[in-house]
Amino acid sequence: MAATEERIDTIGLADLLHRVEALEDAQRGKVQKKNKLAIIAWGGDLDRIWPTTILATTAAASGMEASVFFTFWGLFAIVRPGVRITGENWMQKMMSVMNAGSAQKAKLSRYHFAGAGPAMFKKLADDHQVAKPEELIATAQELGVRLIPCQMTMDLLGLKREDLIDGLEEPIGAATALLEMKESAIQLFI
Amino acid sequence: MAATEERIDTIGLADLLHRVEALEDAQRGKVQKKNKLAIIAWGGDLDRIWPTTILATTAAASGMEASVFFTFWGLFAIVRPGVRITGENWMQKMMSVMNAGSAQKAKLSRYHFAGAGPAMFKKLADDHQVAKPEELIATAQELGVRLIPCQMTMDLLGLKREDLIDGLEEPIGAATALLEMKESAIQLFI
Amino acid sequence: MAATEERIDTIGLADLLHRVEALEDAQRGKVQKKNKLAIIAWGGDLDRIWPTTILATTAAASGMEASVFFTFWGLFAIVRPGVRITGENWMQKMMSVMNAGSAQKAKLSRYHFAGAGPAMFKKLADDHQVAKPEELIATAQELGVRLIPCQMTMDLLGLKREDLIDGLEEPIGAATALLEMKESAIQLFI
């Protein structure tokens, strides 16, 4: 009877070995996903900053890791209020005029030409208890959402760390941003 | 010989145990992905509703699960034709004027100022047998694509369930939308 | 003692079997992710072509697979310079006027009405050594980024393979594009 058990064990072991090999094959070279949200905040308009901060804040509040990479127009959402992109360069100056920064001045893309749009939308939000972008960015920081500026965009606009709001992580480039996204269960370009 | 086999089995077992532990370690805390597409339909313009519905419908037809979360401007795509956001609130009224709802009136963002754009594009589509958005939304429903309204946007606009088209799921918030995305192999913000 | 060892092995084997079954259950029907980036390049503006090409090129340079699916307005980024969408169809003609193609003429969406915008931005990029879109598309091709046109958009615009730049893959439809995304660790709609 000992011999029979042994045989069963040997067969069982061979079978298990094949199943473990199949599992290893399936996993080989595959990327594992963490319980994490990574957003590329590309847009600087109010109607994009809103979903970005609402999703990141909700994720953090639900126990997910969350990081936001502010790039291109999105960088303007984390420029310190009052900072203007000056300098000798006429092009940077022109860009600064067209995109006078900070979340407080962010425009609603659809309301761009209506003028009243952003103020209206904020008031609409106030009446319905939906947080404002600058409040959401502050809340996101408190909840541990990692806010990360794009180094290339900063270079392009001639912005320094001190021109950006407090509480941000060190600026990173595209390669590091890809690593942030790769390990995240959710990645969005907003 | 029985002793030898036993030793082999014991060695094999120890090896297998390590390999199973390695597989368990790799999987611990990792998020598994289902064969599912989850779209956040943020944009209300025709040129965004189109890829949203084409991708969701194609996914469903290919045997994937598919869900679309209509939020912000995207919500207007599933407002019942003829519904206008009235009510006392002047801001909601203003918003309703700027975004007179329903997929049939959706604008092409690039053609916004051309006026003729959307009609032209639909005719262009007709001539080439590419389905129209309202047809695609109907087809998506028939194929089992889950269409989900954003509760916060509905509250913001003062919209009720009966103001939206038939066949939608119960409205959800950002936390539930994140769960939809987290388990999906593909998540897109459109 | 042989009997004791045997008993231990049997117990160990039963335990291992359960753990392997648990691993198999967790994996059943789940989608595995490759070290790959898949971008849907939907937008044709310079400020979208830029992040698309920078991310794809950086991914390829970091050893990731990378593919870009050019659809809708995005298709214009890979139209051969000088090609105009002519033909009998007045609608295609109108579209061609509004979107006179090729990456070199791509517009910055926010600068659309400023006119000077794109030229300014390119000069700004030159001064700071940030590559231009057409250079980035060429670099992407050299680094092995797969550039894939959308068949439906080509049909809609009456474009043929010879109207597009060299070095592209065969055009594909939405179903194949979904397969590209499903196996990718990162998928973005830009």
Side-chain angles (χ1 to χ4, degrees), chain B residues 11-84:
Chain B
I11 292 168
L13 202 55
D15 171 55
L16 260 192
L17 179 63
H18 288 135
R19 291 163 72 175
V20 167
E21 282 170 350
L23 285 163
E24 287 169 342
D25 284 348
Q27 199 185 69
R28 193 159 293 129
K30 293 305 187 296
V31 177
Q32 302 297 317
K33 291 293 192 178
K34 292 167 70 178
N35 187 23
K36 178 174 168 179
L37 164 71
I39 293 177
I40 304 188
W42 165 88
D45 288 319
L46 187 56
D47 54 0
R48 288 179 183 269
I49 298 172
W50 231 5
T52 294
T53 49
I54 286 172
L55 286 170
T57 306
T58 306
S62 315
M64 293 182 79
E65 286 183 61
S67 73
V68 182
F69 177 61
F70 292 89
T71 188
F72 229 92
W73 310 120
L75 191 76
F76 288 95
I78 51 170
V79 169
R80 198 182 286 281
V83 167
R84 297 189 71 85

Side-chain angles (χ1 to χ4, degrees), chain B residues 52-130:
Chain B
T52 294
T53 49
I54 286 172
L55 286 170
T57 306
T58 306
S62 315
M64 293 182 79
E65 286 183 61
S67 73
V68 182
F69 177 61
F70 292 89
T71 188
F72 229 92
W73 310 120
L75 191 76
F76 288 95
I78 51 170
V79 169
R80 198 182 286 281
V83 167
R84 297 189 71 85
I85 303 149
T86 50
E88 305 293 297
N89 196 315
W90 71 268
M91 293 173 297
Q92 289 178 354
K93 225 167 190 170
M94 181 171 169
M95 206 163 176
S96 90
V97 173
M98 305 182 80
N99 285 283
S102 100
Q104 284 150 338
K105 292 183 210 155
K107 286 172 186 157
L108 263 182
S109 56
R110 293 270 296 246
Y111 287 157
H112 200 272
F113 301 95
M120 178 199 85
F121 214 80
K122 283 196 180 182
K123 181 143 184 7
L124 190 57
D126 286 347
D127 291 355
H128 287 82
Q129 255 76 276
V130 183

Side-chain angles (χ1 to χ4, degrees), chain A residues 37-111:
Chain A
L37 166 70
I39 293 177
I40 303 188
W42 165 87
D45 289 318
L46 187 57
D47 55 0
R48 288 178 183 269
I49 298 172
W50 232 5
T52 293
T53 50
I54 286 172
L55 287 170
T57 305
T58 305
S62 315
M64 293 183 81
E65 288 182 61
S67 73
V68 182
F69 177 62
F70 292 90
T71 187
F72 230 93
W73 310 120
L75 192 77
F76 288 95
I78 52 169
V79 169
R80 200 182 285 282
V83 167
R84 296 188 73 83
I85 303 149
T86 51
E88 305 294 295
N89 196 315
W90 70 268
M91 291 172 298
Q92 290 177 353
K93 223 166 190 170
M94 180 172 172
M95 205 163 177
S96 91
V97 173
M98 304 181 81
N99 285 283
S102 99
Q104 284 149 338
K105 292 183 210 155
K107 286 172 187 158
L108 263 181
S109 57
R110 293 271 295 247
Y111 287 156

